[in-house]
């Protein structure tokens, strides 16, 4: 085993405790003294190895911990939950107001129509010109209010609306589909991606359909086609294409599983075993890319 | 827990210890960072199994850059991380595109091409770690690990069951010396650890 002759100087240098002069002298010695150089390299390597090991240790401790909710754009959801509840209560109050107010008025009116003869007499008295002339304010005439009938959406409409709202909560764009850098114009899928991002979904579908299996960008084009079909309301077709891309992408397809689920939901397939099994899988995996998206699906 | 801001993460990484670990915990569980690693894995290797490796290696490099003051805060940490994982993906996974390439608008001039060390994947790097530490006792490893994480000697003593601060200090000194000796006797591996991380 080799002995270290310069460990004190090396430590001082690595810890940054040398003065500027000492530091410069040390660096000059490093160039001329081979032993010092060898010891310094070994020390530096040991330090780097320890730092690397420490990082691995931190990671393994973190991975062993029970999974916490992933942090991301929706990380403030908990903070916002209070406001969400507040707004929901407000909305519920408005709805209740509109639902019960007409019936309340109706009750008043029914009460007036159904009162015994004494009251009718009294009412007649109240309507005599003498009384009328004495009253400062005209007696309000309660006219039957038209019942407000809001169309109740069917189950399938509800599911479509839910799927669409969850889908829109995480807008899909293809400008950065190959990473954090913008998609270059010479990329084969650029025209389809751009059409999609510009909201020209039919055009995007048309351009995406020009790709054949084996072409560069085929899978990306299929992905655009799947999203395009979803946007245009062809949910079953979207689901079929999402399935195809997921299958072809191997594990990388996981990130599309949320969209497959939404397509199935909108296509009225939320009772199928495939839907339930995929939903269950995503819900159980907190790091699944669609975990947060799926959390928003509350049937 | 409230997510840390970029500034707080940078401070935590530089502070070391528990703060650093918390910063790593937040970044590791951040959905958007994972998504960036996914994009890079998908773009360069097409294999989702590489996502975890890319995420971990990307975070390792990010931590090193922040510690060394090489992150100048001209972009957000997330953007910086995105460029790191893209570089890793480009250099390591697209073996057919080693020199001056343009993929998806990302042009990286690699004049000499990546070295063997650059091409080592995260798993290989991790495996390489076993060499110098294989003969080291577990307590030694723990002491060095906590020391490198920035824990104080008092904390290290508490965490590893050593008598006191002084005992932790001596243990660290001896363990580090043993590791340096090993590195000096294995210059090839030492060179990799010196340059390759």
């Amino acid at each position: 085993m080799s002995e270290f002759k310069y460990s004190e100087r090396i430590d001082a240098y690595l810890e940054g405790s040398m003065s500027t002069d000492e530091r410069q002298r040390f660096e000059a010695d490093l160039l001329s003294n081979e032993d010092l150089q060898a010891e310094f390299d070994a020390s530096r390597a040991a330090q780097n190895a320890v730092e690397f090991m420490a990082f691995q240790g931190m990671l393994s401790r973190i991975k062993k911990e029970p999974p916490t909710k992933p942090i991301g754009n929706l990380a403030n959801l908990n903070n916002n939950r209070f406001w969400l509840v507040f707004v929901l209560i407000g909305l519920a109050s408005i709805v209740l107001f509109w639902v019960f107010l007409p019936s309340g008025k109706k009750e008043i009116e029914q009460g007036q129509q159904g009162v015994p003869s004494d009251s009718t007499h009294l009412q007649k008295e109240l309507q005599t010109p003498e009384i009328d002339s004495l009253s400062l304010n005209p007696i309000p005439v309660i006219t039957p209010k038209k019942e407000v009938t809001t169309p109740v959406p069917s189950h399938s409409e509800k599911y479509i609306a839910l799927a669409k709202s969850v889908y829109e909560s995480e807008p899909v764009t293809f400008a950065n589909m190959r990473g954090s850098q913008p998609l270059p114009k010479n990329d084969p899928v650029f025209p389809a991606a751009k059409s999609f991002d510009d909201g020209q979904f039919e055009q995007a579908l048309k351009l995406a359909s020009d790709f054949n299996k084996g072409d560069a960008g085929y899978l990306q084009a299929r992905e655009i086609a799947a999203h395009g079909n979803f946007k245009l309301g062809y949910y079953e077709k979207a689901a079929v294409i999402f399935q195809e891309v997921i299958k072809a992408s191997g594990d990388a397809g996981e990130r599309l599983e949320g969209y497959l689920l939404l397509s199935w939901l909108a296509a009225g397939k939320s009772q199928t075993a495939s839907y339930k099994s995929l939903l269950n899988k995503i819900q159980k995996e907190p790091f699944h890319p669609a975990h947060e998206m799926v959390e928003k699906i509350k049937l | 827990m409230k997510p840390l801001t970029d500034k707080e993460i940078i401070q935590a990484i530089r502070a070391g210890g528990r703060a650093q670990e918390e910063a790593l915990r937040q970044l590791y569980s951040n959905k958007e960072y994972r998504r960036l690693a996914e994009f890079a894995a998908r773009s360069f290797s097409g294999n989702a199994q590489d996502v975890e490796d890319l995420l971990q290696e990307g975070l390792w490099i990010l931590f090193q850059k922040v510690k060394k003051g090489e992150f100048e805060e001209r972009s957000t940490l997330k953007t910086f991380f995105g460029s790191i994982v893209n570089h890793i993906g480009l250099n390591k996974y697209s073996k057919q595109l080693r020199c001056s390439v343009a993929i998806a608008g990302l042009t990286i001039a690699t004049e000499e091409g990546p070295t063997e060390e650059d091409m080592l994947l995260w798993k290989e790097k991790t495996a390489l770690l076993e060499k110098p530490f294989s003969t080291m006792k577990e307590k030694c490893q723990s002491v060095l690990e906590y020391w490198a994480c920035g824990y104080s000697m008092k904390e290290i003593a508490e965490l590893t069951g050593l008598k006191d601060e002084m005992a932790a200090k001596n243990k660290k000194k001896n363990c580090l010396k043993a590791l340096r000796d090993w590195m000096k006797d294995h210059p090839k591996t030492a060179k990799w650890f010196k340059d390759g991380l």
Side-chain angles (χ1 to χ4, degrees), chain A residues 1-4 11 41 45 48 50 56 61 63 65 70-71 73 178 180 223 251-252 255 289, chain B residues 21 25 28-32 35 42-43 48 56 86 126 141 145 179-181 184-185 190 193-194:
Chain A
M1 192 180 281
S2 7
E3 274 303 308
F4 272 73
D11 282 346
D41 286 352
N48 284 352
V50 170
Q56 293 278 22
R61 279 196 294 280
K63 282 198 261 178
E65 285 171 3
I71 295 163
N73 266 348
R178 291 204 196 275
S180 59
E223 192 180 329
D251 292 341
R255 110 207 121 71
Chain B
E21 195 152 336
R25 184 176 290 108
Y28 181 76
S29 57
N30 189 312
K31 183 183 137 187
E32 289 165 9
R35 199 164 278 173
R42 185 168 144 247
S43 305
Q56 293 184 17
N86 273 324
T126 309
Q141 282 192 31
E145 189 182 319
L179 187 61
R180 283 176 173 179
D181 287 342
K184 204 173 175 191
D185 293 338
F193 273 110
K194 187 177 150 269

Side-chain angles (χ1 to χ4, degrees), chain A residues 156-177:
Chain A
S156 59
E157 283 170 337
K158 269 188 200 170
Y159 289 170
I160 290 172
L162 176 62
K164 277 167 81 174
S165 76
V166 175
Y167 181 94
E168 296 302 343
S169 69
E170 293 192 27
V172 177
T173 57
F174 290 99
N176 294 328
M177 72 184 301

Side-chain angles (χ1 to χ4, degrees), chain A residues 24-65:
Chain A
Q24 281 170 352
R25 242 193 332 271
F26 180 84
E27 282 165 2
D29 288 350
L30 263 185
L31 297 173
S32 56
N33 184 339
E34 277 184 20
D35 287 348
L36 177 64
Q37 175 75 57
E39 285 188 19
F40 180 73
D41 286 352
S43 303
R44 196 72 183 264
Q47 180 125 354
N48 284 352
V50 170
E51 278 181 15
F52 189 56
M53 176 190 70
F55 188 81
Q56 293 278 22
M58 282 198 293
L59 273 175
S60 69
R61 279 196 294 280
I62 288 167
K63 282 198 261 178
K64 274 181 204 161
E65 285 171 3

Side-chain angles (χ1 to χ4, degrees), chain A residues 53, chain B residues 133-134 136-146:
Chain A
M53 176 190 70
Chain B
F133 292 102
S134 58
M136 193 177 273
K137 286 189 178 158
E138 209 178 304
K139 188 161 260 181
C140 236
Q141 282 192 31
S142 304
V143 169
L144 288 179
E145 189 182 319
Y146 286 123

Side-chain angles (χ1 to χ4, degrees), chain B:
Chain B
M1 183 181 228
K2 200 181 159 207
L4 300 173
T5 62
D6 275 8
K7 267 207 163 20
E8 287 166 338
I9 289 171
I10 292 165
Q11 281 169 1
I13 294 172
R14 289 181 183 152
R18 290 196 167 90
Q20 178 184 226
E21 195 152 336
E22 184 51 40
L24 181 63
R25 184 176 290 108
Q26 291 228 358
L27 295 181
Y28 181 76
S29 57
N30 189 312
K31 183 183 137 187
E32 289 165 9
Y33 280 65
R34 188 167 285 270
R35 199 164 278 173
L36 285 170
E38 273 169 14
F39 268 125
R42 185 168 144 247
S43 305
F44 300 111
S45 78
N47 187 352
Q49 284 172 339
D50 296 328
V51 173
E52 186 63 28
D53 286 354
L54 264 177
L55 177 68
Q56 293 184 17
E57 181 152 15
L59 288 174
W60 159 251
I61 293 173
L62 179 108
F63 268 55
Q64 296 308 301
K65 298 269 180 200
V66 169
K67 275 185 192 172
K68 290 175 189 166
E70 289 172 14
F71 173 57
E72 292 166 4
E73 300 181 45
R74 283 181 299 182
S75 68
T76 62
L77 263 184
K78 198 176 81 185
T79 307
F80 185 54
F81 176 79
S83 68
I84 290 172
V85 287
N86 273 324
H87 273 72
I88 301 171
L90 187 64
N91 281 322
K92 292 185 178 163
Y93 297 109
S94 311
K95 293 184 180 176
Q96 71 276 28
L97 296 157
R98 289 192 187 188
C99 297
S100 194
V101 291
I103 292 184
L106 174 71
T107 308
I108 299 176
T110 51
E111 286 170 12
E112 294 167 5
T115 61
E116 281 298 305
E117 287 83 7
D118 290 335
M119 297 302 289
L120 277 179
L121 301 180
W122 182 249
K123 278 189 192 111
E124 293 165 323
K125 280 185 180 178
T126 309
L128 200 74
L129 246 195
E130 285 174 17
K131 281 190 179 179
F133 292 102
S134 58
T135 52
M136 193 177 273
K137 286 189 178 158
E138 209 178 304
K139 188 161 260 181
C140 236
Q141 282 192 31
S142 304
V143 169
L144 288 179
E145 189 182 319
Y146 286 123
W147 168 68
C149 280
Y151 285 80
S152 70
M153 285 300 159
K154 198 177 165 200
E155 286 174 314
I156 294 173
E158 283 166 10
L159 288 162
T160 55
L162 286 164
K163 198 178 138 200
D164 55 21
E165 219 174 317
M166 191 48 79
K169 208 171 174 179
N170 285 333
K171 191 85 183 163
K172 176 233 132 187
K173 197 179 166 190
N174 293 335
C175 298
L176 192 61
K177 186 184 174 303
L179 187 61
R180 283 176 173 179
D181 287 342
W182 190 94
M183 290 291 183
K184 204 173 175 191
D185 293 338
H186 298 81
K188 222 174 162 184
T189 315
K191 188 181 179 317
W192 189 85
F193 273 110
K194 187 177 150 269
D195 307 324
L197 291 176

